[in-house]
Amino acid sequence: MNQARIPILMYHQIDVAPPKGTPLRGLVVSPRTFSRHMWMMHFLGYQGLSMGELMPYLRGERTGRVFGITFDDGYENNFHNALPVLRRLRFSATCYAVAARIGQSNIWDLDEGIGQVSLMNEAQLQAWIDAGQEIGSHTSNHLDLTVCAQQSLELEIGGSRRLLESFLRQPGGVQHFCYPYGRLNTDSLQCVAQAAYVSATTTRRGRVPVPVQDGALTLPRVLVSRSTTWVQLLLKCLTNYEDRRGVQG
Ligand SMILES: [Zn+2]
């Protein structure tokens, strides 16, 4: 891998395929595919890391064959289907939970006609952490932050951090943030900085240039979908395939 750039993988659900025609079906990666992705990276000598463990590499303080692993929304199927693979390989990952929806479902998707899937409950989030994994914040209610008033911005960004830390009895333990829909503007960026998050990830495509410039609050990621084969994953991680797409928009 060109260590001047580090990929942060973005997964959503890890589960068997919902019926054809289901909206966002492409974001449901099968357990078998996920396992193959992780084992292939392991086989090539790369270690998958949570955002907390990846930060020294992104800052250029450490070097090594590493990549980031993130899961958006906090689905229960991450707990059942991804955690065993991560544990087996001694990889760590960050799961971005929606703080006011713990133990519920993705109700923010209801208006779009997207099926409801269980989110991890408090005990599962705790077990996720106990297994050496990390929880980050994906806001309180999964709102588009670019259309939020200032007061609700604070509740979504700083408030979600406080809520998760109190749930998890981990003061200061939630240090990483992910923008819902990858949407941000100057106000939301400023609010993320004020809430003292160490990193924040977007849906902009690309690998992170190292050392990371201008803080780490607008990090690009590498989307992994249902149809991403391990060969494509290697292309996305080891070449400038994704970086060029990020530039093109
Ligand atoms: Zn999301």
Side-chain angles (χ1 to χ4, degrees):
M1 186 185 297
N2 173 7
Q3 274 299 305
R5 285 178 183 266
I6 294 178
I8 299 172
L9 304 184
M10 166 174 43
Y11 288 96
H12 289 76
Q13 296 191 52
I14 308 296
D15 212 343
V16 294
K20 283 214 170 92
T22 304
L24 298 187
R25 183 176 187 264
L27 294 182
V28 186
V29 173
S30 80
R32 193 185 156 94
T33 300
F34 176 74
S35 174
R36 200 170 279 165
H37 290 167
M38 296 298 110
W39 276 96
M40 189 49 61
M41 293 300 279
H42 170 76
F43 179 70
L44 292 175
Y46 290 94
Q47 192 183 11
L49 295 177
S50 63
M51 291 309 299
E53 294 190 313
L54 193 66
M55 282 312 298
Y57 295 91
L58 296 182
R59 291 194 190 107
E61 296 159 4
R62 294 188 72 174
T63 55
R65 294 185 155 208
V66 295
F67 64 102
I69 309 174
T70 63
F71 297 94
D72 287 16
D73 304 336
Y75 294 103
E76 189 178 30
N77 56 42
N78 297 166
F79 181 79
H80 293 303
N81 300 328
L83 185 56
V85 180
L86 297 171
R87 291 186 81 151
R88 180 89 194 271
L89 293 173
R90 296 174 188 246
F91 283 1
S92 58
T94 299
C95 178
Y96 295 114
V98 180
R101 300 292 167 223
I102 303 301
Q104 301 176 21
S105 62
N106 50 324
I107 63 163
W108 59 86
D109 283 332
L110 265 180
D111 290 348
E112 310 296 323
I114 295 166
Q116 294 298 289
V117 179
S118 297
L119 301 173
M120 279 194 232
N121 61 31
E122 212 175 311
Q124 289 165 330
L125 290 175
Q126 190 60 59
W128 178 267
I129 289 172
D130 293 344
Q133 310 299 318
E134 182 176 58
I135 296 297
S137 167
H138 198 31
T139 71
S140 296
N141 296 286
H142 206 284
L143 303 180
D144 176 347
L145 297 176
T146 63
V147 296
C148 280
Q150 189 61 38
Q151 197 184 0
S152 85
L153 261 191
E154 211 293 315
L155 281 174
E156 291 297 317
I157 297 170
S160 63
R161 178 176 186 171
R162 291 189 293 275
L163 200 56
L164 287 169
E165 288 178 351
S166 70
F167 265 142
L168 303 169
R169 290 172 218 88
Q170 244 201 337
V174 176
Q175 303 192 328
H176 304 276
F177 183 81
C178 173
Y179 302 93
Y181 314 105
R183 310 258 305 151
L184 69 144
N185 56 12
T186 320
D187 288 347
S188 46
L189 181 58
Q190 202 169 31
C191 198
V192 168
Q194 274 162 4
Y197 283 104
V198 172
S199 82
T201 47
T202 68
T203 53
R204 185 163 54 85
R205 292 177 73 169
R207 299 173 302 167
V208 183
V210 174
V212 68
Q213 304 291 322
D214 304 327
L217 301 182
T218 56
L219 296 174
R221 286 188 291 174
V222 172
L223 173 69
V224 191
S225 70
R226 173 156 211 90
S227 57
T228 307
T229 64
W230 65 262
V231 176
Q232 285 168 327
L233 186 81
L234 295 187
L235 260 178
K236 283 166 174 269
C237 288
L238 310 186
T239 73
N240 65 357
Y241 177 90
E242 285 288 312
D243 311 332
R244 284 184 304 167
R245 269 151 191 85
V247 171
Q248 286 162 7

